[in-house]
Amino acid sequence: MDWMKFKFDAAINYQLDFQDPASPVMEEIVNFHNYVMIYLMFITFTISWIFSDILYTYSKSNRLISHKYLVHGTWLEIVWTITPAVILVFIAFPSFKLIYLIDEVIDAGITIKAIGHQWYWSYEYSDYATADGKSIEFNSYMIPEDDLQTGDLRLLEVDNKVVVPTNTNVRVIITATDVLHCWAVPSLGVKLDAVPGRLNQTSFLANREGIYYGQCSEICGANHAFMPIVIEAVNLDAYCTYISTNYA
């Protein structure tokens, strides 16, 4: 299946902002970032103005920077203690909501197991079985630079993509066989460590069709940079066709 690649569903050169969100969780992460930036800008401009005023005022005189209430400014101490506490409260409640949203796995429609190896990923579709009764399993290797086609992304393309349906809760069980890895897809708001001997769980819901790129985000050895992750989100009919055609 050859789907159009969206510009910000993979990292680009000199990118300063997030990739375009493709899941409700990633949309909330972007919204929370923008919300916190309002407070950061207020704090930055306020502190910058105070420092600038102090430097300007005392550069015009030969006095030392001192004031009779510098040590015992009761009201000043009250203000600079209460104001940061209030700001932290306004930041804390939305962050708690986001944390619970990220951790929650709600009625997963399909389950995929992602296993990290040095240096590639393997996947299992736990809800299906092939004609011989085995679960659907495949390895996903990075495509070498010499084999890339026109329009492919260097160091990000793989030979076997993970195909998922849109508007469906997908549970991902993540582990590793050798060392620590990390399964991360920025557009879907997913990033979780793959730990040998342990099963970690996360979920996502792709709310639009597209191809989403990620990489192992843990320093896992010499070829750490060469184990990308590619998620292809398609409509439900195309997903059923993919499963029945390839694994019936």
Side-chain angles (χ1 to χ4, degrees), residues 24 29 52 66 121 139 153 162 175 203 211 244:
I29 291 174
S52 300
S66 61
W121 293 96
N139 296 327
L153 301 178
V162 178
T175 188
S203 67
I211 301 178
S244 60

Side-chain angles (χ1 to χ4, degrees), residues 49-149:
W49 175 79
I50 292 173
F51 274 112
S52 300
D53 184 69
I54 292 173
L55 292 174
Y56 176 80
T57 300
Y58 286 97
S59 65
K60 297 298 182 180
S61 66
N62 295 323
R63 295 179 300 165
L64 297 174
I65 299 180
S66 61
H67 193 275
K68 64 180 179 179
Y69 295 120
L70 183 64
V71 179
H72 301 289
T74 304
W75 281 107
L76 179 62
E77 293 177 2
I78 292 174
V79 169
W80 76 35
T81 301
I82 292 179
T83 302
V86 172
I87 292 175
L88 288 176
V89 169
F90 278 99
I91 292 176
F93 284 104
S95 69
F96 293 155
K97 171 188 172 183
L98 182 58
I99 289 172
Y100 284 115
L101 179 64
I102 292 173
D103 287 340
E104 191 69 24
V105 178
I106 305 173
D107 297 330
I110 63 174
T111 299
I112 297 173
K113 186 176 182 180
I115 306 171
H117 309 267
Q118 288 184 315
W119 288 272
Y120 66 96
W121 293 96
S122 62
Y123 297 95
E124 299 177 9
Y125 283 75
S126 305
D127 301 313
Y128 310 105
T130 58
D132 57 2
K134 297 181 179 179
S135 60
I136 296 175
E137 301 177 6
F138 59 88
N139 296 327
S140 182
Y141 292 93
M142 187 189 75
I143 297 178
E145 193 170 344
D146 295 338
D147 296 333
L148 294 176
Q149 304 296 320

Side-chain angles (χ1 to χ4, degrees), residues 200-212:
N200 288 331
Q201 177 178 262
T202 187
S203 67
F204 66 86
L205 184 149
N207 53 21
R208 60 181 172 86
E209 297 181 19
I211 301 178
Y212 310 110

Side-chain angles (χ1 to χ4, degrees), residues 109-110 112 125 128 162-170 204-209 231-240 243:
I110 63 174
I112 297 173
Y125 283 75
Y128 310 105
V162 178
V163 179
V164 299
T166 57
N167 300 315
T168 301
N169 288 311
V170 179
F204 66 86
L205 184 149
N207 53 21
R208 60 181 172 86
E209 297 181 19
I231 306 295
E232 184 172 0
V234 300
N235 60 59
L236 186 57
D237 291 338
Y239 174 74
C240 293
I243 293 294

Side-chain angles (χ1 to χ4, degrees), residues 6-19:
F6 291 86
K7 181 179 179 182
F8 292 103
D9 292 338
I12 62 174
N13 292 335
Y14 311 109
Q15 182 174 344
L16 298 178
D17 204 355
F18 293 103
Q19 294 173 204

Side-chain angles (χ1 to χ4, degrees), residues 179-240:
V179 299
L180 288 175
H181 298 280
C182 185
W183 202 80
V185 185
S187 289
L188 298 174
V190 178
K191 184 177 186 292
L192 193 65
D193 282 347
V195 183
R198 176 176 179 146
L199 296 177
N200 288 331
Q201 177 178 262
T202 187
S203 67
F204 66 86
L205 184 149
N207 53 21
R208 60 181 172 86
E209 297 181 19
I211 301 178
Y212 310 110
Y213 294 87
Q215 290 178 297
C216 175
S217 298
E218 195 74 65
I219 300 177
C220 57
N223 292 326
H224 152 70
F226 306 104
M227 49 184 305
I229 302 158
V230 182
I231 306 295
E232 184 172 0
V234 300
N235 60 59
L236 186 57
D237 291 338
Y239 174 74
C240 293

